[in-house]
Amino acid sequence: MGRKTILDLLQQRENDKLDIAAQHLATLNAERDQASRQHQQLQHYHLDYQQLLHHESTGGIYRYRRDNYLAFLHTVDHALDAQTQTLVTLDQQQQQCLDEWQSSRKKVQALQVLLNRREQRTQRHQARAQQKANDEFAQRRFQGTDQ
């Protein structure tokens, strides 16, 4: 079939949307993985510095060192809160993108069903036309030998 129909064009458009959504989802997945690694690293820093503070506090610690540890822990807490919010936002964006991808996929599948049905109708029509031509040919041949 050389000519593109509306269904063909719609299917191409939805395939393009599907590809774009898949690429966007892959990008979001990579960003989410990176943000998760950063969150884990911050948690590790927090735990390490808490343990250091506790260890140094048991043997006696200067006030300025304790204040430095506490200030750093406070900064890490803020960073953890911000990173947690980033993860929540990325999770929401991932879900929205996944929903869009699934919607596009369903549309592509529905259009493919319509295109397959159209192709089947065309094939049936061609088969009937061929059968009719064969029948007419056989009838003429039979009529030609009957005389």
Side-chain angles (χ1 to χ4, degrees):
M1 181 190 287
R3 229 178 61 159
K4 291 236 181 211
T5 66
I6 295 294
L7 283 178
D8 295 318
L9 295 174
L10 285 173
Q11 185 186 38
Q12 182 60 48
R13 184 174 160 213
E14 285 303 320
N15 275 325
D16 292 346
K17 283 182 180 179
L18 188 63
D19 291 344
I20 290 167
Q23 290 170 355
H24 189 227
L25 190 57
T27 300
L28 285 172
N29 285 338
E31 288 176 15
R32 172 61 167 84
D33 290 344
Q34 177 65 25
S36 181
R37 283 190 298 276
Q38 289 173 346
H39 191 266
Q40 289 172 351
Q41 189 175 21
L42 287 168
Q43 287 176 321
H44 181 72
Y45 286 153
H46 193 271
L47 181 62
D48 282 351
Y49 275 84
Q50 271 186 330
Q51 289 173 347
L52 281 172
L53 176 61
H54 178 72
H55 177 71
E56 286 194 25
S57 293
T58 57
I61 186 172
Y62 289 110
R63 182 180 175 148
Y64 77 92
R65 286 192 47 88
R66 186 196 62 172
D67 290 346
N68 285 343
Y69 275 117
L70 292 175
F72 183 75
L73 286 171
H74 183 71
T75 300
V76 172
D77 283 338
H78 281 295
L80 274 168
D81 291 343
Q83 198 63 24
T84 299
Q85 185 55 46
T86 298
L87 288 170
V88 167
T89 300
L90 286 170
D91 286 342
Q92 291 169 346
Q93 290 174 348
Q94 274 183 312
Q95 187 58 51
Q96 181 182 0
C97 189
L98 181 60
D99 292 345
E100 290 171 10
W101 180 82
Q102 288 173 335
S103 175
S104 287
R105 192 170 135 249
K106 285 178 184 177
K107 288 177 185 177
V108 166
Q109 289 171 337
L111 288 166
Q112 187 60 50
V113 166
L114 293 174
L115 288 167
N116 289 344
R117 287 179 186 167
R118 182 187 67 193
E119 182 63 28
Q120 290 169 353
R121 277 193 312 272
T122 301
Q123 288 175 355
R124 281 194 308 268
H125 178 60
Q126 289 172 345
R128 282 189 206 118
Q130 183 64 41
Q131 184 62 45
K132 182 178 177 184
N134 289 344
D135 290 348
E136 289 173 355
F137 177 75
Q139 186 179 16
R140 276 185 295 209
R141 194 165 191 216
F142 178 71
Q143 287 175 348
T145 59
D146 195 25
Q147 297 174 355

